[in-house]
Amino acid sequence: MVDEEGAPKFPGFPFEPYSIQTDFMNSLYQSLNQGGVSMLESPTGTGKTMSVICSALQWVLDKRLQQEAVCDENPGNGGGGGVGSDDEPDWMRDFVVNKVENNKKEEKYGSVWGKPHNSKKRTEIRKDFRVMGAGEEKGCESPQKKIDPVDFLDKDFLLEEYESEDERGPGSMMSKRKTVNTSFSSSTEDESSEEEEEEKKLKVYFCSRTHSQLSQFIKELRRTVFAKEMKVVSLGSRKNLCINEEVVALGNSTRINERCLELQKKKKNDATKVKNLKVGSGIRRTKATSGCPMLRKHRVQQDFRNEVFQQRPLDIEDLANLGRTMGTCPYYGSRSMVRRADLVVLPYQSLLSKSSRDALGLNLKSNIVIIDEAHNLADSLINMYDSKITLSQLETVHNHLERYFLRFRSLLGPTNRRYIQTVMVLTQAFLRVLLDDKDGNLIDSCCDVDQASEKSSSDFTMAINDFLFEQNIDNINLVKLLKYIKESNVMHKVSGYGEKFAAMATQHKIEQHAEEGSCVSAFQALANMLLSLTNNDGDGRIIISRFRLTSLKKRGGYLKYVMLSGEKIFSEIVDEAHAVVLVGGTLQPIEETRERLFPWLPPNQLHFFSCGHIVPPDSIMPIALARGPTGRTFDFSFGSRSSPDMMRELGLLLCNLVTVVPEGIVVFFPSFDYENKVYEHWESSGILERITKRKRVFREPRNNMDVESVLKEYKDTIYTLSGMNSEVNQASYSGAILLAVVGAKLSEGINLSDGMGRCVVMVGLPYASPSDIELLERIKHIDRFQNLKLENSSVSTSYDLYSGHAEGGFAILRSCTHRGKEYYENLCMKAVNQSIGRAIRHINDYAAILLVDTRYTSDSSKRSLAHPVTKLPQWIKDRLVSSVSYGEAFTPTVKLRASTLVYMAPRRVFLDLHHGKRERMKKRDESYKG
């Protein structure tokens, strides 16, 4: 919708927008018109989410009206048997079937690396491998004539005969597996009409980092007219949406996923196995029922989908509650609604991972992708493609394979034998590198613990090709092997037999069921590692970590692939979508994001928008504090922060703050370990007791599941005490203090508005640990740092060795050029900006921000890295007061400079920023004056 001058109008905005909100919506609207990649920056608390909703969805409505005016489109072939229809025998498989397999063109696999045509194969294999189902292609009853009656109970674990397409001769008959694949063609054809219909209508995909951020988006959407005009669906993980109490009780996400897939496998094996009944010359198929009780009634699933679209937009929690009420699975129910939805709200992983997109049936073609909280998008994207397998997982896989192969060797076909032996060769090679064993005597190496304990630990990295050649496995075609693992169901056959074998030996079925889960996880970890090894040589590095757990008399270690390049992954999204919009509170420096995600895009073709804050200057007081109450310099650098004097000085600062700041104070520490060390020091020195006399102390838990309860108790404490009269407050608490950690859940996406964050204290500069091997590899990749050529007795190729000490990491940083150091600095300051932005959430909010470290005030010429203040948001930099001493930070001149009203009391100063701005604050302000 446009006005008389041709500018877009946004009637869906629920109230009169501020000027910067109008500018933001106009910029987003323009970005969607031109397509491509855009970056829109708006500080937290400026109504960014509402602006995104009203601009993007208004553009969709306007575009549809334009299309309808141009021509009348032909309706799609909407026959029966649509998504969720009762005639669909395997509806949930619609989203994981590999449509490429329907292509009857013969495929020939060459070497894994170095052949251009293999990239397409790798994409096909990667399609839904990481989230593959438990037994998609088992087919009809397989011939097992070699099994005698004594072995009848083991026949379910015998693999079907396997023959890949390129191994069949031109005149050979089509294998059963191919026949089974073609059985999916009916559902694929049913999908085709819906896919064509979907491509004709614009769809918006909105993704963010956490479920709480997505819930906030849904709440904002409900306030607009688009809540009634748009069909909206939220997608979440099984852990958040599963309502099967037996499965939810497992607790762990991995075990929940495995159990869910296992129930789908049972559906195929038992209750839902397709039985071919010959009726004359034809074949009739019996209808399927699900192994999970929440999926047995397909008509209820249809009712669930209709109910979701009829109600207001539902978030993850609402979907779960509706599923419980109706007695049907909200996880699969929401997945089946994607094609009919106008707006899909989903977490990062579901959209940015190609395997997840394909499994969920997400079609980005000519649609809109909006990525919120995009300040760390590059790192989040490449982290999704990391893979890791531990020594214990390798031992589990190897032992199960050996036991299975010993039992079924004479009964397996030649292809199955060859592939299983190939997997065993790979597990042996991986075990050798972790055990540092050249002779291949793995059993003796595992048992020789005492000798191993005397060796020092070692971490080193290698390129993919160097790793493959060094382990003498470069001649193995990993692409074909991955295709076999995916199609043959070897994971669950081997794991199932191992479960039965262990159950007979121990007679503890419950424990053995847990072992089954760990075994499947181990197989999946191996498959993910093999998939990573098919990447280009320069896209990532292999980390080889050998460490010893001498106290447990067990040696440990792991192999990990670290993805370093994200441009190819991101290009898949950009190439498909009409427009990709990156939104965040702090996106600068944009050049780093452009170089890491879309370097092919010229800077002049990148649409960038940034605006200021709606909060008035007199509502915020940022202070850089260099010294504490006793005059000691605040130096929270890695080598100084753990000194008792430094921790005591910080405690004394808080002792003063709790007496002058009302309601809530949030203190951000660089890490959980340092927060715990400081807390223990305060506890033993009596400082904690002084703090708790004025405010209740809360600590952010390490477990994210416990954060919500702690945050609620913190909020209730503040508002309960704020409602008390002055006499009660003077005699007891005056609010609460929350000890949080940078990079944890409370530092991103959590609303600490109003009394929950009247003062935010940032302790030091939260630089990442320089001993982090993954971080150093990423820095070197960004810096194009030349790898060192080192010699070692056990590894003869080029590799990088890490000591695990911070000094080595600092040496690498000093050797980097500007780009590597800049990235290291940006990581730190993005975390700072995200943390301090939790406090200012709307135009009437106000807070003080204390940056506690001398490095915030030091001379930039003395630093090897950029000055941290230069990377603060502009709306904070414009108001920042740099104070060398503690006294300067609390003098009336400084406060008048920040336009604040100050009440003086003996040895205390009470800061009430923007006093009297809101009517509801007047009564409390009068009590403070008294």
Side-chain angles (χ1 to χ4, degrees):
M1 182 179 295
V2 297
D3 57 19
E4 297 178 354
E5 299 179 356
K9 296 176 63 178
F10 306 101
F13 209 84
F15 41 81
E16 186 68 24
Y18 300 112
S19 59
I20 63 172
Q21 292 172 330
T22 301
D23 294 341
F24 184 96
M25 290 188 287
N26 285 329
S27 181
L28 177 54
Y29 198 96
Q30 178 186 349
S31 300
L32 298 181
N33 271 334
Q34 70 181 30
V37 182
S38 304
M39 299 179 68
L40 279 69
E41 181 183 70
S42 181
T44 55
T46 56
K48 177 175 77 269
T49 301
M50 183 65 73
S51 300
V52 168
I53 292 171
C54 295
S55 180
L57 298 186
Q58 185 64 52
W59 184 88
V60 170
L61 292 180
D62 293 348
K63 188 60 66 175
R64 287 178 180 174
L65 290 175
Q66 293 175 11
Q67 292 175 350
E68 291 175 1
V70 172
C71 63
D72 294 327
E73 295 185 348
N74 295 324
N77 299 324
V83 176
S85 171
D86 286 343
D87 296 328
E88 180 58 56
D90 230 346
W91 66 271
M92 76 231 10
R93 301 298 181 192
D94 292 349
F95 306 99
V96 296
V97 62
N98 190 342
K99 300 181 182 65
V100 182
E101 293 176 353
N102 290 325
N103 186 351
K104 297 182 179 180
K105 182 179 66 176
E106 218 171 283
E107 301 172 345
K108 296 183 179 180
Y109 292 86
S111 171
V112 173
W113 45 93
K115 296 291 184 70
H117 65 269
N118 277 338
S119 60
K120 182 178 179 180
K121 302 285 190 300
R122 289 196 297 271
T123 302
E124 177 185 342
I125 296 293
R126 191 185 300 274
K127 188 169 184 180
D128 62 330
F129 190 79
R130 295 181 189 269
V131 289
M132 53 186 280
E136 299 177 21
E137 302 164 325
K138 295 177 63 176
C140 306
E141 184 178 357
S142 62
Q144 299 173 359
K145 299 178 180 178
K146 297 180 182 179
I147 300 183
D148 59 315
V150 177
D151 301 320
F152 180 77
L153 295 177
D154 287 344
K155 71 174 185 179
D156 289 339
F157 303 114
L158 180 61
L159 285 165
E160 299 175 7
E161 294 181 0
Y162 180 84
E163 187 179 12
S164 61
E165 294 180 29
D166 57 319
E167 290 173 331
R168 293 195 307 269
S172 64
M173 296 181 61
M174 187 175 290
S175 68
K176 290 194 200 78
R177 195 168 313 283
K178 188 64 177 178
T179 302
V180 174
N181 284 340
T182 59
S183 72
F184 287 144
S185 62
S186 61
S187 63
T188 305
E189 290 170 0
D190 290 338
E191 290 174 8
S192 61
S193 62
E194 291 187 7
E195 288 175 356
E196 291 175 0
E197 180 183 354
E198 176 185 319
E199 292 175 0
K200 294 175 184 177
K201 57 187 256 184
L202 294 170
K203 188 188 299 289
V204 176
Y205 293 95
F206 178 90
C207 71
S208 193
R209 291 170 58 89
T210 65
H211 286 295
S212 61
Q213 292 167 344
L214 297 177
S215 296
Q216 182 63 32
F217 177 86
I218 293 295
K219 290 178 181 178
E220 292 293 293
L221 177 62
R222 291 171 183 165
R223 302 170 62 188
T224 70
V225 296
F226 301 106
K228 298 180 180 179
E229 298 182 11
M230 295 285 185
K231 292 183 177 180
V232 184
V233 61
S234 298
L235 300 181
S237 63
R238 286 182 174 89
K239 184 172 183 179
N240 291 98
L241 286 175
C242 181
I243 59 172
N244 187 328
E245 294 182 1
E246 173 201 345
V247 179
V248 174
L250 297 175
N252 180 271
S253 298
T254 301
R255 296 183 65 190
I256 289 175
N257 291 337
E258 290 174 358
R259 181 57 178 160
C260 178
L261 295 176
E262 183 183 348
L263 289 174
Q264 309 314 312
K265 178 183 69 171
K266 285 186 176 181
K267 171 192 174 216
K268 297 288 290 183
N269 288 347
D270 305 322
T272 67
K273 187 173 182 181
V274 177
K275 298 178 180 179
N276 295 329
L277 303 178
K278 295 184 179 180
V279 180
S281 59
I283 295 180
R284 182 168 61 89
R285 295 191 173 190
T286 61
K287 189 177 172 184
T289 58
S290 172
C292 177
M294 300 301 166
L295 283 172
R296 288 176 182 166
K297 299 178 181 179
H298 289 184
R299 190 168 298 279
V300 180
Q301 277 281 306
Q302 181 67 51
D303 294 339
F304 174 85
R305 292 190 285 271
N306 293 335
E307 184 69 20
V308 171
F309 282 148
Q310 289 175 5
Q311 292 191 18
R312 62 178 185 171
L314 304 180
D315 60 17
I316 300 299
E317 186 176 351
D318 296 328
L319 287 173
N321 291 334
L322 180 62
R324 291 188 187 95
T325 301
M326 300 183 67
T328 190
C329 177
Y331 173 74
Y332 282 108
S334 60
R335 280 177 52 165
S336 63
M337 298 168 59
V338 170
R339 289 182 175 85
R340 298 168 55 192
D342 301 305
L343 171 62
V344 181
V345 182
L346 69 172
Y348 266 22
Q349 177 72 33
S350 300
L351 185 132
L352 299 179
S353 169
K354 179 167 175 55
S355 59
S356 298
R357 290 199 305 272
D358 292 327
L360 294 170
L362 305 184
N363 180 16
L364 305 185
K365 186 68 176 178
S366 301
N367 288 322
I368 308 300
V369 174
I370 300 176
I371 304 175
D372 194 19
E373 300 294 332
H375 53 281
N376 281 330
L377 177 60
D379 289 335
S380 299
L381 182 65
I382 62 178
N383 287 340
M384 293 178 187
Y385 289 82
D386 290 352
S387 59
K388 178 180 178 181
I389 186 166
T390 64
L391 176 61
S392 61
Q393 287 177 321
L394 282 170
E395 290 172 342
T396 298
V397 174
H398 189 75
N399 292 337
H400 278 70
L401 283 171
E402 278 190 329
R403 185 182 299 121
Y404 182 87
F405 192 70
L406 181 64
R407 171 64 184 85
F408 295 102
R409 179 172 186 173
S410 60
L411 305 175
L412 293 169
T415 305
N416 281 320
R417 285 201 304 269
R418 183 172 71 252
Y419 278 120
I420 290 177
Q421 287 176 313
T422 302
V423 177
M424 292 171 65
V425 168
L426 289 169
T427 56
Q428 286 178 324
F430 294 165
L431 284 169
R432 278 197 299 270
V433 72
L434 290 182
L435 297 170
D436 199 12
D437 180 77
K438 284 187 166 184
D439 301 326
N441 194 349
L442 300 178
I443 297 178
D444 292 342
S445 297
C446 291
C447 296
D448 191 8
V449 177
D450 293 335
Q451 182 179 355
S453 300
E454 297 175 359
K455 299 179 181 179
S456 60
S457 62
S458 60
D459 293 352
F460 56 95
T461 66
M462 302 177 70
I464 294 177
N465 287 351
D466 288 340
F467 177 79
L468 294 172
F469 281 110
E470 181 65 24
Q471 308 311 317
N472 197 27
I473 54 176
D474 56 292
N475 59 337
I476 296 177
N477 191 318
L478 297 179
V479 176
K480 289 178 63 177
L481 179 61
L482 287 167
K483 185 176 177 68
Y484 167 79
I485 294 175
K486 176 185 175 183
E487 294 181 349
S488 67
N489 200 27
V490 64
M491 285 186 184
H492 295 277
K493 292 288 188 179
V494 175
S495 299
Y497 179 73
E499 177 190 14
K500 177 189 173 183
F501 184 89
M504 289 188 302
T506 63
Q507 297 299 317
H508 295 298
K509 295 183 179 180
I510 297 179
E511 294 181 5
Q512 296 309 318
H513 180 73
E515 181 181 341
E516 155 71 6
S518 64
C519 183
V520 174
S521 299
F523 268 103
Q524 189 66 60
L526 175 64
N528 291 339
M529 176 58 67
L530 296 179
L531 186 63
S532 297
L533 293 177
T534 64
N535 285 303
N536 292 334
D537 188 52
D539 287 346
R541 299 279 289 182
I542 304 293
I543 297 177
I544 300 160
S545 178
R546 301 169 182 156
F547 60 88
R548 277 73 181 172
L549 302 177
T550 56
S551 60
L552 300 179
K553 296 298 180 184
K554 184 177 180 180
R555 184 193 307 214
Y558 64 84
L559 293 176
K560 183 170 185 178
Y561 175 79
V562 180
M563 178 68 78
L564 299 175
S565 177
E567 61 244 35
K568 295 179 182 178
I569 304 171
F570 195 69
S571 66
E572 296 175 349
I573 300 175
V574 175
D575 292 343
E576 289 188 39
H578 164 71
V580 177
V581 183
L582 310 185
V583 180
T586 307
L587 296 181
Q588 300 190 58
I590 62 172
E591 185 61 20
E592 177 196 308
T593 302
R594 189 192 70 82
E595 290 181 352
R596 297 186 63 192
L597 291 181
F598 32 92
W600 66 87
L601 185 69
N604 59 356
Q605 294 184 18
L606 173 63
H607 179 71
F608 177 74
F609 170 84
S610 180
C611 64
H613 210 296
I614 58 176
V615 175
D618 59 351
S619 294
I620 178 174
M621 177 186 286
I623 300 175
L625 191 58
R627 297 182 183 275
T630 68
R632 183 177 298 277
T633 299
F634 280 127
D635 180 9
F636 292 99
S637 60
F638 185 78
S640 304
R641 66 186 186 185
S642 296
S643 69
D645 291 339
M646 195 59 55
M647 293 186 286
R648 180 177 182 274
E649 195 73 12
L650 177 62
L652 293 177
L653 171 64
L654 291 180
C655 287
N656 289 337
L657 288 178
V658 296
T659 62
V660 300
V661 176
E663 302 178 309
I665 300 176
V666 184
V667 184
F668 284 103
F669 291 87
S671 67
F672 277 107
D673 290 340
Y674 186 62
E675 184 271 342
N676 186 65
K677 184 178 296 186
V678 171
Y679 187 87
E680 290 178 349
H681 176 79
W682 290 351
E683 198 171 31
S684 61
S685 62
I687 291 179
L688 184 63
E689 183 180 0
R690 293 174 58 183
I691 295 175
T692 55
K693 287 181 178 180
R694 298 296 303 175
K695 293 185 185 292
R696 284 191 60 185
V697 177
F698 295 87
R699 303 174 67 188
E700 179 175 8
R702 290 178 182 261
N703 187 353
N704 286 341
M705 301 298 294
D706 300 328
V707 170
E708 292 297 332
S709 60
V710 173
L711 192 61
K712 182 180 184 304
E713 189 176 359
Y714 169 73
K715 179 179 180 180
D716 292 344
T717 300
I718 289 173
Y719 290 113
T720 299
L721 295 174
S722 297
M724 296 179 180
N725 56 44
S726 58
E727 290 78 9
V728 175
N729 272 335
Q730 290 176 0
S732 57
Y733 295 119
S734 64
I737 182 170
L738 178 61
L739 307 183
V741 175
V742 176
K745 190 170 183 178
L746 287 178
S747 66
E748 295 196 28
I750 299 296
N751 188 340
L752 297 176
S753 62
D754 300 320
M756 296 179 69
R758 284 295 174 228
C759 179
V760 176
V761 180
M762 174 59 60
V763 179
L765 286 162
Y767 286 106
S769 172
S771 61
D772 186 345
I773 186 172
E774 297 179 36
L775 172 66
L776 294 176
E777 284 295 334
R778 197 172 297 139
I779 290 174
K780 292 193 297 182
H781 179 80
I782 293 172
D783 197 69
R784 302 296 189 268
F785 191 81
Q786 182 63 36
N787 290 340
L788 300 175
K789 303 294 184 180
L790 302 175
E791 298 297 328
N792 184 270
S793 58
S794 61
V795 181
S796 59
T797 57
S798 63
Y799 71 98
D800 287 356
L801 182 67
Y802 294 88
S803 63
H805 300 297
E807 291 77 8
F810 286 127
I812 292 177
L813 283 172
R814 286 191 292 268
S815 302
C816 288
T817 60
H818 173 73
R819 293 181 59 176
K821 295 177 181 177
E822 184 80 3
Y823 169 73
Y824 187 63
E825 181 80 24
N826 290 341
L827 276 180
C828 171
M829 293 310 300
K830 286 179 181 179
V832 170
N833 295 336
Q834 282 295 309
S835 299
I836 62 180
R838 299 306 94 207
I840 304 294
R841 309 301 296 179
H842 55 83
I843 192 171
N844 292 322
D845 208 353
Y846 59 92
I849 298 174
L850 298 184
L851 305 176
V852 184
D853 198 296
T854 186
R855 289 171 291 180
Y856 288 107
T857 63
S858 62
D859 185 358
S860 59
S861 62
K862 299 178 181 179
R863 296 174 49 85
S864 59
L865 301 174
H867 199 285
V869 171
T870 63
K871 298 183 181 297
L872 290 171
Q874 192 64 43
W875 60 278
I876 291 182
K877 282 193 294 185
D878 293 341
R879 302 163 173 84
L880 182 66
V881 177
S882 295
S883 301
V884 177
S885 68
Y886 178 82
E888 291 179 2
F890 291 91
T891 56
T893 55
V894 172
K895 298 177 191 63
L896 291 174
R897 181 180 171 187
S899 301
T900 61
L901 183 60
V902 180
Y903 305 110
M904 301 301 296
R907 300 187 63 185
R908 69 178 63 178
V909 179
F910 166 55
L911 307 177
D912 191 353
L913 303 179
H914 205 55
H915 170 65
K917 191 174 183 68
R918 295 178 298 173
E919 290 296 322
R920 71 181 185 84
M921 301 296 296
K922 288 184 177 180
K923 183 177 180 180
R924 188 182 61 188
D925 289 336
E926 293 296 328
S927 67
Y928 287 143
K929 288 181 181 179

